[in-house]
Amino acid sequence: MRPIIFSKMDFSHSNLFGYIEDLQELTIIERPVRRSLKTPEEIERLTVDEELSDIERAVYLLSSGQDIQGTSVVANLPVLMRQNPAETLRRVLPKIREVLHVAGVEMQLTAAVSFLTVLQEESVSIHTYSHSFLHIILQNVEHRDAGVSNAWLETLLAVIEALPKETVRHEILNPLVSKAQLSQTLQSRLVSCKIMGKVANKFEAHIVKREVLPLVKSLCQDVEYEVRTCMCRQLEHVARGIGTELTKTVVLPELVELARDEGSSVRLAAFETLVNLLDMFDADDRSQTVLPLVKSFCEKSFKADESILVSLSFHLGKLCNGLYGIFTPEQHLRFLEFYKKLSTLGLQQENGHNDNQLHLQTLEQEKKYISVRKNCAYNFPAMIVFVDPKNFSLELYSIFFCLCHDPEVPVRYTMAISFFEVAKLLNSDVYTIHKELVTLLQDESLEVLDALVGHLPEILELMTNGGENSGSESKLLSIPDLIPALTTAEQRAATSLKWRTHEKLLQKYACLPHIISSDQIYYRFLHRMLTIILTNNVLPVQKAAARTLCVYLRYNRKQEQRHEVIQKLIEQLGQGKSYWNRLRFLDTCEFIMELFSKSFFCKYFFLPVLELTHDPVANVRMKLCCLLPKVKSTLKIPTDKHLLQQLELCIRKLLCQEKDKDVLTIVKRTVLELDRMEISVDAEQLEKEKQKNEGRSTNINDKMLEKKRRDSKTSSVLAKSINLSVSGSSSGTSVGKEEKKSKLVRSQSFSTQVLHPKYTNIDKCPNKSSATAYTSSVSGMGKSCMLSFSDDSFRTHSSGNSGNAAFTSSSSRNLFNSADQKNSGNKESQSRKMSIIQLVPKWEGGMGQSEEKTENQTPRSSDRKMREPETGGSNVLVR
């Protein structure tokens, strides 16, 4: 219909008549819409009571409904059989059987499909099915409409495979004798032919010979060529059922006779059946019977019987290899030349020869010649086997060149599909077809490119590695013009509307690191993949490019190039202005986690991914939340402990700050999934830290042992001095008492001088947290340590003024260090220290105990209450 442009209307007679035609077409378009509307009466008739059950509704619609409603019930039959098979068989199926007698084509086709579905779903046993459904199928299999008859026949053939032999014999085979008679209709005899082929594989050979073969012979001699053709095509199934001996004596003679039939379709069927049964004939039958028939077919195909030409070209590869053992060299060469002739059929005229005949060729002949060349392309791998791959360059390369450059797309398409098979067969000589690979990659038809891309990685691998025996020079020659061909193919696919071909091509290009160098990939392909991710509008294409780019990055060993690509991915995708690019960055990170190590992802992409938790677009945050479980799986403890903390911080922020309800729902679901995940442990790192901690504990233990040894020496010296002073006191008792009183007074004064600086240091703690840590560090100390603090002041007094200064400075310096040691130290070292303190007698005033207290014990705030009776405590201890 021509468009009506009112601004440029011409009201001349001719143009006005054209406008009227356009308006009439518009009214015709609107008429079906008006006709489709239902009147209130029609709507009333189509209305069904909603309270009816499914079975009752089906019965009602089949009884009094319209055809469209009955068809709907028939289509719903498999569902009814699944829900309530007993009631469906009892009430619905009889109604369907009644309706099918007068049903239209649509309901008949629907019923055939529904009956087959019920059989495939096994809703009922096969015995019940044969009892309820088989008779309905047999009644409708000879329907006057050919399409309906074929539909029921397909259902019947499927039923025959599942039925027991006895049922097939009584219900199908016995009635078949009368159905195959000449007195029956053509449709009945055609149905009988197809049933014969199916039944022949159901029974033993002697039953087939007695009950089936007589009917087969009768149908092969039928007066109608359609029946003879149909029965001839079923002879293959019959031969498989009766075995080699009966095939040779019964089937082969029938085939020879049918091959000489006056009907071209019969001869074609006989030829194809002969080719399919080659494996069942022995060498004598092939050489004496089959080969002469094939030669006559080939000779007549160009002269009098072009109808067989297409079929002959299709089966020629199978035929040549099937008869290979009986060919003489002359016959071998003759069949090869015949194939070459078929491969160029119809091209001589296009190249300038026989120009007069070119105008005489009909369109049907052109289509036939294209089909012949297409079949030759299909059989090309078989012909390589026929001539031996070693003779390819001499015998078949010219034909291969012609087929790859054929002017018709279907021929080149078929060559592209079979290219991989050809490359495999050539093996070390695969380099000889490299130019044709480049030609097909640069083909103007994307269909050809799509067919070639399917096995492109395997083909390229054979191109670079297959020619091991051909020398390295030939392999290196395949590289220079291959890369431009690959880039051209990708650009052509990108500019077309066939995005699936483009996606497929990008996926297959991931094989290039195994084919060409990383520098060539970097400069010719890698940046192109990044451009596709940034500019293409088709999501599958972008994802394919992202994955291929990650593969290229995986095999690139140059750190500068790697870092450049990583930086571009983060800046142009992860930090891109378009939210679409940021989504693709997450897709790329998913591929990186798949292809790279966990440490690589954590090093370069972990933090950039977490930054997207602050993305302003909800879709980006939503996709990120779905990706977080995979992100967490890349972490290893304790190496990535700081990254785990960052991940937990981001999740907390999402839970607290997220306002989008959809994102928040996914966040909550993700949190539950993350909680169930177990983080992998870096065993090597753990072992290193364990060894480090063991070294620290060993050093601490060594220090404690050294202190214990030093303290024991000090206590023994003090004990000796005390014993000497006690032995000397008997000579001067009064003098000793006066000295003790003076020492007591001095101890009181020195103890007061020592303790007050300690208290001032406690009051001058820098902050509450330090004081809290300090308080908690000493909260677990035993009562013996608390009560022995007064002894420290007494022993410090005996050490003199220098000892006072040392005690004061060391206590203030080690005030918080001791708290850290208490938090991080182990219980074993604490118990050892306590045992050392308890072993030294308090009345001996040993200096070792004072040093131990100063290093490992910090005073608590509660010690202030213990300072008041300290003098008394000292007096008690001295006494």
Side-chain angles (χ1 to χ4, degrees):
M1 186 178 70
R2 297 185 300 273
I4 302 175
I5 305 176
F6 293 96
S7 61
K8 298 181 180 180
M9 291 185 66
D10 182 6
F11 291 99
S12 62
H13 179 73
S14 60
N15 286 336
L16 185 62
F17 182 75
Y19 297 144
I20 293 174
E21 283 184 344
D22 293 336
L23 292 174
Q24 287 177 348
E25 290 180 3
L26 289 174
T27 58
I28 292 173
I29 293 174
E30 292 180 355
R31 283 175 187 171
V33 178
R34 294 176 181 174
R35 289 176 181 175
S36 63
L37 299 176
K38 301 295 181 182
T39 62
E41 292 79 8
E42 290 175 332
I43 294 175
E44 182 66 24
R45 287 198 303 270
L46 292 172
T47 304
V48 182
D49 189 1
E50 295 181 357
E51 296 181 357
L52 295 176
S53 65
D54 293 341
I55 300 295
E56 292 172 345
R57 186 184 300 109
V59 173
Y60 173 78
L61 293 176
L62 289 171
S63 301
S64 57
Q66 295 188 359
D67 290 343
I68 188 173
Q69 292 174 314
T71 303
S72 176
V73 172
V74 174
N76 200 43
L77 181 63
V79 178
L80 295 175
M81 288 296 298
R82 288 195 298 269
Q83 295 175 350
N84 195 345
E87 286 298 309
T88 303
L89 293 175
R90 188 176 68 86
R91 299 182 60 185
V92 178
L93 194 60
K95 286 291 183 181
I96 293 177
R97 185 172 185 172
E98 294 176 5
V99 172
L100 286 177
H101 286 294
V102 294
V105 173
E106 185 176 359
M107 185 179 290
Q108 287 279 353
L109 296 175
T110 305
V113 174
S114 295
F115 279 32
L116 181 59
T117 304
V118 172
L119 174 68
Q120 293 171 345
E121 292 182 353
E122 299 180 356
S123 302
V124 293
S125 64
I126 191 63
H127 176 74
T128 304
Y129 187 92
S130 61
H131 183 266
S132 303
F133 292 88
L134 183 59
H135 293 288
I136 302 177
I137 296 172
L138 291 173
Q139 287 176 0
N140 294 278
V141 78
E142 297 179 13
H143 196 276
R144 59 182 178 275
D145 186 271
V148 173
S149 177
N150 289 331
W152 283 110
L153 181 60
E154 292 297 324
T155 303
L156 177 61
L157 296 178
V159 172
I160 289 175
E161 292 184 359
L163 289 176
K165 291 182 180 180
E166 290 301 321
T167 304
V168 173
R169 189 169 187 174
H170 292 292
E171 299 292 339
I172 298 175
L173 186 57
N174 291 340
L176 201 62
V177 177
S178 60
K179 297 289 184 180
Q181 300 301 320
L182 286 174
S183 58
Q184 297 294 323
T185 62
L186 175 64
Q187 184 65 27
S188 177
R189 301 203 301 278
L190 290 174
V191 169
S192 299
C193 292
K194 295 181 179 180
I195 295 175
M196 288 291 180
K198 182 64 69 173
V199 169
N201 292 317
K202 191 74 178 180
F203 297 100
E204 292 79 6
H206 66 278
I207 297 177
V208 175
K209 180 181 179 180
R210 185 176 66 250
E211 300 185 12
V212 176
L213 285 183
L215 296 176
V216 169
K217 290 182 178 181
S218 174
L219 291 171
C220 285
Q221 305 298 327
D222 197 276
V223 294
E224 299 292 341
Y225 76 92
E226 294 98 330
V227 178
R228 299 197 302 274
T229 302
C230 184
M231 192 64 248
C232 185
R233 295 192 179 278
Q234 297 301 318
L235 286 179
E236 179 183 355
H237 304 292
V238 174
R240 304 288 181 190
I242 61 178
T244 306
E245 293 298 327
L246 287 175
T247 298
K248 182 177 181 179
T249 57
V250 178
V251 176
L252 186 57
E254 293 293 334
L255 282 174
V256 172
E257 186 174 351
L258 291 171
R260 300 186 178 98
D261 195 273
E262 59 184 7
S264 60
S265 62
V266 181
R267 296 195 301 271
L268 180 61
F271 170 74
E272 293 178 353
T273 304
L274 275 172
V275 174
N276 293 332
L277 289 176
L278 279 176
D279 58 330
M280 296 194 68
F281 302 139
D282 55 22
D284 293 337
D285 294 332
R286 293 177 188 177
S287 59
Q288 298 175 7
T289 307
V290 178
L291 184 57
L293 285 175
V294 172
K295 289 172 64 176
S296 65
F297 278 125
C298 294
E299 292 172 357
K300 294 178 181 179
S301 60
F302 283 104
K303 298 178 181 179
D305 197 1
E306 285 191 350
S307 60
I308 202 173
L309 199 58
V310 176
S311 178
L312 182 60
S313 63
F314 181 77
H315 291 93
L316 189 59
K318 187 176 182 179
L319 188 64
C320 289
N321 286 279
L323 299 175
Y324 181 80
I326 63 172
F327 278 151
T328 63
E330 183 182 355
Q331 292 170 339
H332 186 280
L333 183 60
R334 182 179 299 176
F335 273 90
L336 180 59
E337 291 299 324
F338 181 72
Y339 172 77
K340 291 180 179 180
K341 188 175 182 180
L342 293 178
S343 300
T344 57
L345 186 64
L347 296 180
Q348 292 84 357
Q349 293 84 355
E350 294 184 8
N351 291 332
H353 302 286
N354 300 327
D355 291 336
N356 294 330
Q357 296 180 5
L358 178 62
H359 300 288
L360 300 176
Q361 290 178 351
T362 63
L363 183 61
E364 290 299 323
Q365 283 180 322
E366 284 296 325
K367 291 181 178 180
K368 185 182 297 183
Y369 291 159
I370 293 172
S371 298
V372 169
R373 298 200 303 274
K374 178 183 176 182
N375 292 337
C376 289
Y378 168 77
N379 282 299
F380 195 84
M383 297 307 296
I384 292 179
V385 177
F386 181 66
V387 300
D388 196 321
K390 296 179 180 179
N391 300 323
F392 170 79
S393 299
L394 182 63
E395 300 289 349
L396 288 177
Y397 177 75
S398 59
I399 299 301
F400 184 75
F401 178 86
C402 291
L403 292 173
C404 289
H405 292 81
D406 195 276
E408 299 298 331
V409 172
V411 181
R412 303 197 305 274
Y413 174 84
T414 307
M415 284 305 299
I417 291 178
S418 60
F419 199 95
F420 175 54
E421 296 296 328
V422 174
K424 283 197 302 183
L425 290 171
L426 293 180
N427 195 9
S428 60
D429 295 331
V430 68
Y431 65 92
T432 58
I433 61 172
H434 166 256
K435 292 182 180 179
E436 284 66 37
L437 173 63
V438 173
T439 300
L440 294 176
L441 281 172
Q442 296 174 337
D443 196 278
E444 60 183 8
S445 173
L446 282 178
E447 294 179 2
V448 177
L449 179 62
D450 186 79
L452 184 66
V453 164
H455 290 285
L456 185 61
E458 294 86 351
I459 294 172
L460 293 178
E461 186 175 359
L462 287 171
M463 287 288 179
T464 54
N465 302 326
E468 296 178 355
N469 299 327
S470 59
S472 59
E473 183 179 356
S474 59
K475 290 191 290 184
L476 293 175
L477 290 175
S478 66
I479 300 298
D481 53 345
L482 178 62
I483 294 176
L486 292 172
T487 54
T488 302
E490 188 278 321
Q491 290 172 359
R492 289 189 58 258
T495 55
S496 70
L497 297 177
K498 296 183 178 181
W499 62 265
R500 288 182 177 86
T501 301
H502 193 199
E503 177 196 13
K504 187 177 179 182
L505 190 69
L506 294 176
Q507 290 172 347
K508 300 300 181 181
Y509 276 15
C511 72
L512 292 182
H514 304 287
I515 310 300
I516 58 180
S517 66
S518 61
D519 282 338
Q520 290 171 322
I521 291 175
Y522 179 78
Y523 291 110
R524 301 300 296 270
F525 296 97
L526 194 147
H527 292 285
R528 174 60 182 166
M529 297 300 152
L530 185 59
T531 303
I532 293 172
I533 299 172
L534 291 170
T535 60
N536 200 283
N537 296 323
V538 182
L539 179 58
V541 173
Q542 286 181 307
K543 286 188 174 183
R547 194 183 191 285
T548 302
L549 184 145
C550 292
V551 173
Y552 293 164
L553 187 63
R554 171 71 176 82
Y555 287 97
N556 192 310
R557 297 302 180 187
K558 293 188 176 181
Q559 293 299 322
E560 294 180 0
Q561 296 178 358
R562 265 196 173 193
H563 290 158
E564 180 187 351
V565 176
I566 292 170
Q567 194 67 22
K568 286 185 177 180
L569 288 175
I570 295 173
E571 292 178 355
Q572 300 182 20
L573 291 180
Q575 300 171 359
K577 295 181 180 180
S578 171
Y579 87 98
W580 190 255
N581 289 340
R582 299 195 295 274
L583 288 174
R584 300 293 75 77
F585 176 71
L586 293 176
D587 290 331
T588 306
C589 289
E590 196 168 359
F591 294 133
I592 287 173
M593 286 186 281
E594 175 189 347
L595 297 171
F596 288 81
S597 64
K598 295 179 179 180
S599 60
F600 180 87
F601 176 80
C602 292
K603 182 178 180 181
Y604 295 106
F605 293 96
F606 191 94
L607 294 178
V609 167
L610 293 187
E611 288 178 1
L612 293 179
T613 54
H614 309 290
D615 197 277
V617 180
N619 285 358
V620 178
R621 301 196 302 274
M622 193 179 302
K623 187 175 183 64
L624 172 64
C625 293
C626 296
L627 193 63
L628 285 180
K630 290 185 177 180
V631 172
K632 185 178 179 181
S633 66
T634 62
L635 298 177
K636 288 184 178 182
I637 297 299
T639 308
D640 302 323
K641 186 177 180 180
H642 63 291
L643 296 180
L644 179 60
Q645 293 173 352
Q646 291 291 329
L647 176 62
E648 293 173 351
L649 180 61
C650 291
I651 294 172
R652 290 194 197 98
K653 288 183 179 179
L654 285 172
L655 285 172
C656 298
Q657 301 175 5
E658 184 57 55
K659 297 179 180 179
D660 190 280
K661 60 180 182 179
D662 296 328
V663 179
L664 188 59
T665 302
I666 295 178
V667 170
K668 293 178 180 178
R669 187 170 68 241
T670 303
V671 168
L672 295 176
E673 186 176 353
L674 291 174
D675 288 340
R676 292 192 295 266
M677 290 180 62
E678 294 183 359
I679 303 178
S680 58
V681 179
D682 191 347
E684 183 177 354
Q685 187 67 21
L686 276 180
E687 185 65 25
K688 289 181 180 179
E689 292 196 0
K690 184 179 179 181
Q691 293 175 359
K692 190 175 180 180
N693 292 333
E694 288 178 354
R696 289 179 179 177
S697 62
T698 302
N699 293 334
I700 293 173
N701 292 335
D702 292 342
K703 290 180 181 179
M704 293 302 302
L705 291 174
E706 180 65 27
K707 285 182 180 181
K708 184 177 180 180
R709 188 174 63 252
R710 190 169 60 248
D711 293 345
S712 62
K713 291 181 179 180
T714 305
S715 60
S716 62
V717 172
L718 289 175
K720 290 180 180 180
S721 62
I722 291 172
N723 290 332
L724 291 173
S725 63
V726 171
S727 62
S729 63
S730 59
S731 60
T733 307
S734 60
V735 179
K737 288 182 179 180
E738 292 297 331
E739 288 179 355
K740 287 183 179 180
K741 287 182 180 180
S742 62
K743 288 181 180 179
L744 179 59
V745 173
R746 283 185 293 171
S747 67
Q748 290 178 356
S749 62
F750 279 116
S751 64
T752 307
Q753 292 175 4
V754 171
L755 289 173
H756 283 297
K758 286 180 121 178
Y759 297 148
T760 57
N761 288 336
I762 294 172
D763 295 335
K764 293 179 181 178
C765 288
N767 52 43
K768 293 182 180 180
S769 62
S770 300
T772 305
Y774 159 73
T775 304
S776 62
S777 66
V778 296
S779 61
M781 298 175 62
K783 292 183 178 180
S784 61
C785 297
M786 294 167 58
L787 294 175
S788 63
F789 194 85
S790 58
D791 303 332
D792 295 338
S793 63
F794 179 74
R795 289 189 294 273
T796 307
H797 162 68
S798 63
S799 64
N801 294 333
S802 61
N804 294 338
F807 181 85
T808 303
S809 61
S810 63
S811 61
S812 62
R813 182 173 61 254
N814 298 326
L815 183 62
F816 297 103
N817 294 338
S818 60
D820 296 337
Q821 291 174 3
K822 283 295 181 179
N823 289 331
S824 61
N826 51 44
K827 294 182 179 180
E828 183 180 358
S829 62
Q830 292 178 8
S831 61
R832 290 182 179 178
K833 294 175 185 178
M834 295 298 298
S835 63
I836 293 170
I837 295 170
Q838 293 173 357
L839 285 172
V840 179
K842 296 181 180 179
W843 57 270
E844 292 181 352
M847 292 300 295
Q849 188 176 354
S850 174
E851 292 175 1
E852 184 66 28
K853 297 277 291 182
T854 302
E855 278 192 28
N856 301 299
Q857 197 171 319
T858 56
R860 299 174 297 175
S861 59
S862 59
D863 290 340
R864 297 180 182 178
K865 298 180 181 179
M866 299 173 60
R867 294 296 185 265
E868 296 176 358
E870 196 162 339
T871 304
S874 299
N875 293 334
V876 173
L877 288 172
V878 171
R879 286 195 292 270

